[in-house]
């Protein structure tokens, strides 16, 4: 392959909607730090090692995102691009490297391109390893939104491009557990386009572990490189939107699973609630009057402290679960808005590329926007519609438990008040009677009383207290 180039396009989340200006995610600078590690390890370009000193978001070697505030250009360096220098190879030619760092709205993006020192140097499968492609894989870059490896080369018309593309894809991930699978084939700027997806078998849904591979082979001497240069910004933003769409959809699926887990827990709590009150419900069958049923129901709950404790435990758990469920639903709505925005951005970029490519674009890119994106967008909306009724169920469940507990507490308070009234009447009346008996005990003309006046007075006082307690009970009962 002549005029060969290997490019890494990586995209990493800088900040989210919930963060105020100046705030960034915890690992916002991970992309730049990992590129420096690559420069210190395998691709030892001088400029890559010293990348921090070139980026405006670093000051004295320390990450300072506030330095980006108010900057209008998307580039994070003060030049159009950054020449990283060159590295020698064992086959006598050198490899040059060029880097462009960007801030695309809420996303850090980087274009790291490696080329032979001369476009006439032929690069075949064995020579590809001089470019150390393994150092550009997700395990080293760890871009949170994902990455694309892009190979461009020019070959003779007689070249078996299908076989060559397959060999290149395998060679890019050699020595790893990634397995490249061809997903699409088409044309871009009149050259052949082969698209591969290499997933991590341990985490196939993790965008940071996936490697998207685009191989463009020019076998008809068309000006593909020139046209790609004209469409550079649109291609970069299209890839950014592509990776963000995949990332957002996976986030949405995870939040849906989280919500389903919470809802399943709610179902279990409802069954627990039914078990707590089912015993009392069966004991109400003999009561036809609604008020009597309510009174009997409340008295039964009051008698069973285990049931009351269980209800209070539910009351302590459900509001937190309800809040978590609401957060999941709100996140899904946010993801739906975000994926819709990025689908629109992707469509705009694709239309601009078509304009440069005489109205053409890869059919697989058209299918992605018209089929895959539409399906994912509808799936998120379906998830929202499916989960929304559960939000009302949480509220009804909380209100039901709160109503039962408040009713029971009211009955307990009323019972305590009645008890105090009864005892107050009993002991108050008994005290008065005791005073009367003590004063006039000598006037009771009974031998037993005259012989034991103290005991007689005490006995009469107790009897009087009991009588007044009974009288108080009758009064409160009638009330």
């Amino acid at each position: 392959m002549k005029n060969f180039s290997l490019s890494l396009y990586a995209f990493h989340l800088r900040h989210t909607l919930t963060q105020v200006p100046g705030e960034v995610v915890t690992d916002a600078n991970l992309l730049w730090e990992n590129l420096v590690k690559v420069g210190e390890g395998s691709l030892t370009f001088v400029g890559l090692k010293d990348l921090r000193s070139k980026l405006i978001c670093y000051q004295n070697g320390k990450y300072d995102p506030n330095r980006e505030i108010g900057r209008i250009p998307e580039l994070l360096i003060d030049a159009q691009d950054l020449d990283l220098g060159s590295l020698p190879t064992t086959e006598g030619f050198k490899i040059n490297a060029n880097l462009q760092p960007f801030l695309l709205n809420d996303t850090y993006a980087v274009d790291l391109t490696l080329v032979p020192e001369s476009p006439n140097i032929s690069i075949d499968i064995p020579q590809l390893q001089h470019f150390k492609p393994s150092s550009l894989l997700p395990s080293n870059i760890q871009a949170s939104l994902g990455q694309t490896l892009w190979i461009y080369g020019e070959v003779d018309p007689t070249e078996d491009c299908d076989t060559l593309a397959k060999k290149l894809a395998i060679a890019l991930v050699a020595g790893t557990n990634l397995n490249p699978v061809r997903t699409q084939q088409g044309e871009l700027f009149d050259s052949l386009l082969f698209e591969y997806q290499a997933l991590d078998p341990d985490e196939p849904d993790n965008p940071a572990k996936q490697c998207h591979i685009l191989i463009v082979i020019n076998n008809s001497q068309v000006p593909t490189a020139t046209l790609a240069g004209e469409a550079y910004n649109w291609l970069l933003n299209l890839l950014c939107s592509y990776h963000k769409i995949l990332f957002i959809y996976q986030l949405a699926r995870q939040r849906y699973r989280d919500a389903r887990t919470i809802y399943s827990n709610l179902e279990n709590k409802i069954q627990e609630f039914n078990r707590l009150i089912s015993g009392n419900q069966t004991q109400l069958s003999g009561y036809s009057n609604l008020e009597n049923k309510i009174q009997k129901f409340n008295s039964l709950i009051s008698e069973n402290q285990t049931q009351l404790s269980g209800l209070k435990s539910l009351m302590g758990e459900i509001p937190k679960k309800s809040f978590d469920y609401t957060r999941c639903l709100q996140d899904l709505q946010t993801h739906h808005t975000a994926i819709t925005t990025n689908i629109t951005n992707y469509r705009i970029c694709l239309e601009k590329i078509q304009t440069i490519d005489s109205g053409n674009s890869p059919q697989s890119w058209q299918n992605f926007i018209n089929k895959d994106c539409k399906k994912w967008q509808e799936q998120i909306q379906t998830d929202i519609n499916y989960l929304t009724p559960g939000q009302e169920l949480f509220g009804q469940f909380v209100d039901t438990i709160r109503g039962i507990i408040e009713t029971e507490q009211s009955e307990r308070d009323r019972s305590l008040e009645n008890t105090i009234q009864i005892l107050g009447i009993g002991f108050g009346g008994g005290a008065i009677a005791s005073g009367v008996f003590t004063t006039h005990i000598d006037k009771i003309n009974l031998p037993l009383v005259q012989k034991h006046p103290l005991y007689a007075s005490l006995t009469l006082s107790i009897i009087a207290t009991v009588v007044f307690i009974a009288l108080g009970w009758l009064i409160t009962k009638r009330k």
Side-chain angles (χ1 to χ4, degrees), residues 208-252:
K209 299 294 183 69
Q210 300 173 6
C211 186
H212 180 228
I213 300 172
L214 294 177
I215 299 174
V216 180
I217 301 178
N218 186 343
N219 65 344
S220 54
Q221 297 182 343
V222 290
T224 300
T226 301
L227 294 174
E230 294 179 15
Y232 177 81
N233 288 333
W234 299 116
L235 287 169
L236 178 69
N237 281 276
L238 180 134
L239 288 175
C240 182
S241 296
Y242 167 81
H243 285 290
K244 291 181 78 171
I245 289 169
L246 296 180
F247 176 77
I248 293 166
Y249 181 67
Q250 292 304 324
L251 286 182

Side-chain angles (χ1 to χ4, degrees), residues 78-142:
D78 292 325
Q80 185 62 34
D81 55 27
L82 182 61
D83 183 0
L84 302 180
S86 61
L87 290 178
T89 67
T90 57
E91 296 195 23
F93 68 91
K94 294 182 179 180
I95 297 175
N96 297 333
N98 177 281
L99 184 142
Q100 295 183 78
F102 301 92
L103 174 58
L104 306 178
N105 298 316
D106 59 356
T107 302
Y108 283 135
V110 67
D111 168 9
L112 173 59
T113 298
L114 309 178
V115 298
E117 60 182 335
S118 170
N120 295 321
I121 296 176
S122 179
I123 302 298
D124 297 321
I125 302 301
Q127 286 78 36
L128 180 61
Q129 296 308 316
H130 291 304
F131 293 79
K132 306 292 180 62
S134 60
S135 63
L136 304 179
L137 295 179
S139 58
N140 291 313
I141 303 302
Q142 298 180 348

Side-chain angles (χ1 to χ4, degrees), residues 416-476:
L416 178 60
E417 179 183 348
N418 291 342
T419 300
I420 293 173
Q421 288 179 355
I422 292 170
L423 294 178
I425 293 172
F427 287 113
I432 294 172
S434 177
V436 173
F437 293 148
T438 302
T439 304
H440 302 284
I441 193 66
D442 57 336
K443 298 179 180 179
I444 300 176
N445 191 19
L446 292 174
L448 181 62
V449 173
Q450 295 296 328
K451 185 177 181 180
H452 301 287
L454 177 62
Y455 294 120
S457 176
L458 180 60
T459 301
L460 291 172
S461 297
I462 292 174
I463 293 173
T465 299
V466 172
V467 170
F468 278 106
I469 288 176
L471 179 62
W473 181 82
L474 288 173
I475 292 173
T476 56

